[in-house]
Amino acid sequence: LPIAVLVSGSGSNLQSIIDRIEDGALDAEIKLVVSNKSDAYGLERARKHGIATKVLLHTDYDSREAFDTAMVQAINEAGVDKDGAVVMAGFMRIVTSVFLGAFVNRVINIHPALLPSFTGVCGQGDAADYGVKISGATVHFVDEQMDHGPIIIQAAVPCQPGEGGDALGSRILKLEHRIFPQSLQWLADGRLEIDGRFVRLKPADT
Ligand code: GRF
């Protein structure tokens, strides 16, 4: 499965995908890593593994659509089209129909909370501060609303009273590193069937 990975920061989820590809557990090829931040450590991780990178600054474009058009073009040129997939791994931008139309049902995101709770940029901290007893991570298909599309998989962790977003977040991150590559492998195997809000996991070919 040819994929592009979009990052804005540390890229530890990108690293988990690279690692699973390198150890043979994930049948995908990262054709391009795109960042909207020139100093994202995710870019460095990609370079260390000989993966092509591109920085596209959203501030260079006057609309979300213009930025998305540039991203689609870069991703297509790298060899990922509607039969590939785009992975948002800590990518802190909302994409528009311009982007989603180029990769219909092929864009996935990970969110560090159990959706639909605690959407937005601080899912871990918001859950910790709310005092929930369980939080976790959600991998979902991306639609035009933030942290909203059909859910592929969720994983849960118990929360400790008063532990704060950082401690909770680091435990959630460990789950993310398991379920994100897993979701991608399901996509690569053609096992994910979207039916409205529902994502069905079809049986593996034997
Ligand atoms: C992760 O917690 C992810 O769920 C969220 O942003 C964080 C990115 O971490 N959307 P990393 O860049 O993959 O290390």
Side-chain angles (χ1 to χ4, degrees), residues 34-194:
V34 179
S35 175
N36 67 318
K37 304 259 183 205
S38 55
D39 60 351
Y41 185 62
L43 292 166
E44 196 56 38
R45 294 182 194 267
R47 289 185 202 112
K48 280 186 187 154
H49 292 265
I51 298 166
T53 60
K54 185 150 190 119
V55 175
L56 290 172
L57 303 178
H58 57 273
T59 46
D60 285 346
Y61 299 85
D62 24 289
S63 67
R64 286 187 190 274
E65 286 76 10
F67 176 62
D68 284 1
T69 301
M71 282 206 296
V72 170
Q73 191 182 345
I75 292 167
N76 284 342
E77 278 169 7
V80 180
D81 63 14
K82 59 181 177 32
D83 299 319
V86 178
V87 179
M88 296 173 57
F91 184 65
M92 307 307 269
R93 303 290 303 167
I94 294 171
V95 291
T96 67
S97 59
V98 169
F99 191 84
L100 296 172
F103 308 103
V104 177
N105 293 341
R106 308 295 285 184
V107 184
I108 69 175
N109 178 51
I110 189 150
H111 182 71
L114 295 176
L115 292 177
S117 291
F118 309 115
T119 58
V121 293
C122 194
Q124 313 91 324
D126 292 345
D129 294 348
Y130 195 91
V132 294
K133 296 297 189 188
I134 299 171
S135 191
T138 304
V139 180
H140 64 94
F141 285 104
V142 175
D143 66 11
E144 279 166 61
Q145 295 177 54
M146 182 184 63
D147 300 330
H148 177 267
I151 291 172
I152 298 169
I153 187 174
Q154 295 184 298
V157 282
C159 307
Q160 307 306 328
E163 71 178 330
D166 288 349
L168 177 59
S170 72
R171 285 187 291 118
I172 291 174
L173 199 57
K174 292 199 181 98
L175 295 180
E176 298 184 32
H177 297 160
R178 283 182 10 218
I179 65 175
F180 215 8
Q182 171 66 261
S183 304
L184 260 177
Q185 183 56 46
W186 287 336
L187 192 66
D189 285 338
R191 293 183 60 192
L192 299 178
E193 192 174 77
I194 304 177

